[in-house]
Amino acid sequence: DIQLTQSPSFLSASVGDSVTITCRASQGISSYLAWYQQKPGKAPKLLISAASALQSGVPSRFSGSGSGTEFTLTISSLQPEDFATYYCQQFNTYSFTFGPGTKVDTK
Amino acid sequence: EVQLLESGGDLVQPGGSLRLSCAASGFPFSSYAMTWVRQAPGKGLQWVSAISASGGRAYYTDSVKGRFTLSRDNSKNTLYLQMNSLRAEDTAIYFCAKDSMNTVTGSFQQWGQGTLVTVSS
């Protein structure tokens, strides 16, 4: 299986900050990477697919980039509703895997 | 509006069986692949199984192969996950999710709220 790592595991930030989360794959996955946001007690929400394709209704302060083995999710100006856990997920092979998650908490 | 409503979660003993259901509405169910993803308490997400829109192709993570069976009834707009030989490590919230196409792509566009499966004696 393709393994995904995320850094950092935990991120402390303030409203208005720009934050970046990195996801690395154990082997090349082209652009077959998605980012999800999950709040406590809620289902995950798809933010970005195909590494950089923003889903309908997702604010433009979210952006994704990368290909191959290294990817980033950037939130350009953190809003109160953005404090959550973020997961990357690869869909390059029919054994989809998620990263361990990055929790974004208030400083 | 897409709605996915999971049901069937329960407390079951190790070695037991359970069938989860996911009732879909708000979209043409028979046109989309579907998937199950689980989350153990306090842990991350793990993909479990996916099925094509027609039901002709199903995929499983290694740890559930031979124990879980994914199926769908397009006439009832419902997805099913039959879970046999349950283990403690299967304890999790199980989410069903809608894929982006009729074939399994792994891009999970909308999710239900989940149903809790607890495997314990």
Side-chain angles (χ1 to χ4, degrees), chain A residues 1 36 38 41-46 49 55 87 89 91 94-96 98 100, chain B residues 37 39 43-47 50 59 95 104-109 111-113:
Chain A
D1 284 2
Y36 297 85
Q38 188 180 32
K42 300 295 186 181
K45 174 186 176 182
L46 178 63
S49 189
Q55 295 300 291
Y87 295 92
Q89 175 238 333
F91 51 102
Y94 286 118
S95 186
F96 312 119
F98 290 85
Chain B
V37 174
Q39 186 169 36
K43 302 297 184 181
L45 301 168
Q46 181 188 26
W47 171 76
Y59 307 88
F95 298 98
V104 175
T105 69
S107 179
F108 310 135
Q109 290 188 321
W111 298 56
Q113 288 306 302

Side-chain angles (χ1 to χ4, degrees), chain B residues 28-99:
Chain B
F29 180 73
S30 62
S31 296
Y32 289 90
M34 298 291 294
T35 202
W36 288 95
V37 174
R38 67 185 180 184
Q39 186 169 36
K43 302 297 184 181
L45 301 168
Q46 181 188 26
W47 171 76
V48 175
S49 182
I51 191 167
S52 62
S54 68
R57 295 292 300 269
Y59 307 88
Y60 301 91
T61 193
D62 285 347
S63 63
V64 308
K65 281 179 183 175
R67 299 190 299 125
F68 290 12
T69 301
L70 183 57
S71 62
R72 62 192 295 160
D73 185 336
N74 287 342
S75 68
K76 295 182 178 179
N77 290 350
T78 303
L79 180 71
Y80 302 102
L81 184 66
Q82 178 67 42
M83 304 187 296
N84 299 330
S85 302
L86 283 161
R87 306 167 180 168
E89 54 265 34
D90 296 318
T91 294
I93 296 172
Y94 284 71
F95 298 98
C96 75
K98 169 184 168 288
D99 208 307

